[in-house]
Amino acid sequence: MIDSPPHLALTIQKAIGKANRDNAPSSTDMRRWAQAALQDDDAEVTVRLVGATEGRELNRDFRGKDYATNVLTFVYDQGEDMPGGDDAPLAGDLVLCVPVVVREAVEQGKPLAAHFAHLIVHGMLHLQGYDHEDSDEAEEMEALETRILAELGYPDPYAERSV
């Protein structure tokens, strides 16, 4: 019997203007990247693309850092107190700040699609409990990101680049 991949219910919101919309990846690509990073559990995820103002407000309000960052991950609690209990799918939001992602891709000499793919994979792994707070966790998470991105046809996001 062939195991089917975990089911991903993905909603994409593009809360961005035309200039940022032109730099945004396609919904098809975002779905492919998010699905590739989904390890074992079914998931309900919203990917929201935002501009600098909303990105800064969210980072300030939820992390206490007054600047726009590339990706924010919001995980919704699971467990017996939640509707569906322990059997409920993994649920959360990924918020990507398009102008920050574009700027970083240019500064780091990376193709824009590869950088977006990396950040969606990174955020999806956070949703699943992966972290990089200490060196062992960071090493495990980075190795997994690198493997998933290679399977998607993208280079190692942690390799040194010449700009």
Side-chain angles (χ1 to χ4, degrees):
M1 184 171 147
I2 298 174
D3 288 333
S4 61
H7 175 71
L8 174 63
L10 184 68
T11 301
I12 296 172
Q13 300 174 347
K14 295 183 180 179
I16 50 179
K18 170 125 175 62
N20 286 321
R21 191 172 295 265
D22 290 344
N23 289 316
S26 72
S27 297
T28 302
D29 282 342
M30 288 187 279
R31 175 172 298 286
R32 184 170 57 94
W33 302 332
Q35 183 71 56
L38 195 55
Q39 300 295 298
D40 298 315
D41 297 321
D42 292 344
E44 295 176 1
V45 178
T46 297
V47 173
R48 182 172 175 86
L49 303 178
V50 301
T53 301
E54 184 174 346
R56 180 179 181 179
E57 289 170 356
L58 289 168
N59 201 29
R60 182 190 62 227
D61 294 350
F62 290 95
R63 293 182 62 229
K65 300 183 182 208
D66 194 19
Y67 57 87
T69 190
N70 53 17
V71 64
L72 293 167
T73 304
F74 297 95
V75 181
Y76 300 121
D77 288 334
Q78 290 181 286
E80 54 191 58
D81 294 340
M82 296 298 292
D86 288 329
D87 293 332
L90 177 69
D93 296 338
L94 302 181
V95 178
L96 286 97
C97 185
V98 175
V100 172
V101 177
V102 170
R103 184 188 77 234
E104 287 177 348
V106 170
E107 289 172 353
Q108 297 170 21
K110 296 178 180 177
L112 186 56
H115 196 42
F116 268 113
H118 177 216
L119 293 173
I120 287 178
V121 166
H122 184 87
M124 288 294 294
L125 292 177
H126 274 308
L127 284 176
Q128 296 168 86
Y130 289 89
D131 215 332
H132 45 81
E133 292 301 314
D134 66 45
S135 60
D136 288 340
E137 290 176 342
E139 191 174 303
E140 178 184 6
M141 188 171 177
E142 289 174 10
L144 188 53
E145 288 172 299
T146 300
R147 180 183 60 76
I148 292 166
L149 289 164
E151 290 170 0
L152 290 166
Y154 295 109
D156 179 350
Y158 297 102
E160 291 294 319
R161 303 248 188 276
S162 58
V163 181

